[in-house]
Amino acid sequence: QVQLVESGGGLVQTGGSLRLSCVASGTSISINAMGWYRQAPGKQRGLVAGITRSGSTYYADSVKGRFTISRDNAKNTVYLQMNSLKPEDTAVYYCNIGSSGYNFVPGGPWGQGTQVTVSS
């Protein structure tokens, strides 16, 4: 049974940084793309950053230059380093396993997410 557990969220001031982690169990992430998604109140969940099995990355325009996604296949973990945080980054952040090695269509179960709150 695949399980994804996100952690690392919290309350931070504008301009601050956080590092999110997502540990997968029940499957190996090494052959899959991985993505970080977020959902703000009243909005749909959307892709923030993704990393393919080969290490190529994708970022939403709103986070380019501020967020960095990385993966450690040996630890079955994907990370999201978030710098220069803004109040509009406030959301619940989720990770998911891509449905293949090179696309970010979510293919796994959603975890509980981790709340990120950026105060102005």
Side-chain angles (χ1 to χ4, degrees):
Q1 182 178 351
V2 177
Q3 188 174 14
L4 301 166
V5 179
E6 302 93 345
S7 63
L11 174 63
V12 65
Q13 291 186 333
T14 296
S17 298
L18 287 172
R19 188 193 194 206
L20 307 184
S21 299
C22 169
V23 180
S25 60
T27 188
S28 171
I29 69 169
S30 61
I31 63 170
N32 290 91
M34 296 293 296
W36 279 98
Y37 307 76
R38 69 185 180 188
Q39 186 169 22
K43 295 188 177 180
Q44 288 190 328
R45 183 156 42 198
L47 179 66
V48 173
I51 185 167
T52 67
R53 60 179 290 180
S54 62
S56 298
T57 55
Y58 160 85
Y59 297 97
D61 287 344
S62 58
V63 306
K64 278 181 183 176
R66 300 188 298 120
F67 289 11
T68 303
I69 188 171
S70 61
R71 63 193 298 161
D72 185 337
N73 291 337
K75 295 183 178 179
N76 233 27
T77 300
V78 62
Y79 304 97
L80 186 67
Q81 177 67 44
M82 305 187 297
N83 299 328
S84 302
L85 283 161
K86 304 175 180 180
E88 51 263 44
D89 295 317
T90 295
V92 180
Y93 284 72
Y94 303 87
C95 70
N96 211 309
I97 300 170
S99 55
S100 77
Y102 296 96
N103 80 66
F104 307 117
V105 176
W110 294 103
Q112 84 288 349
T114 187
Q115 176 71 49
V116 171
T117 303
V118 185
S119 63
S120 56

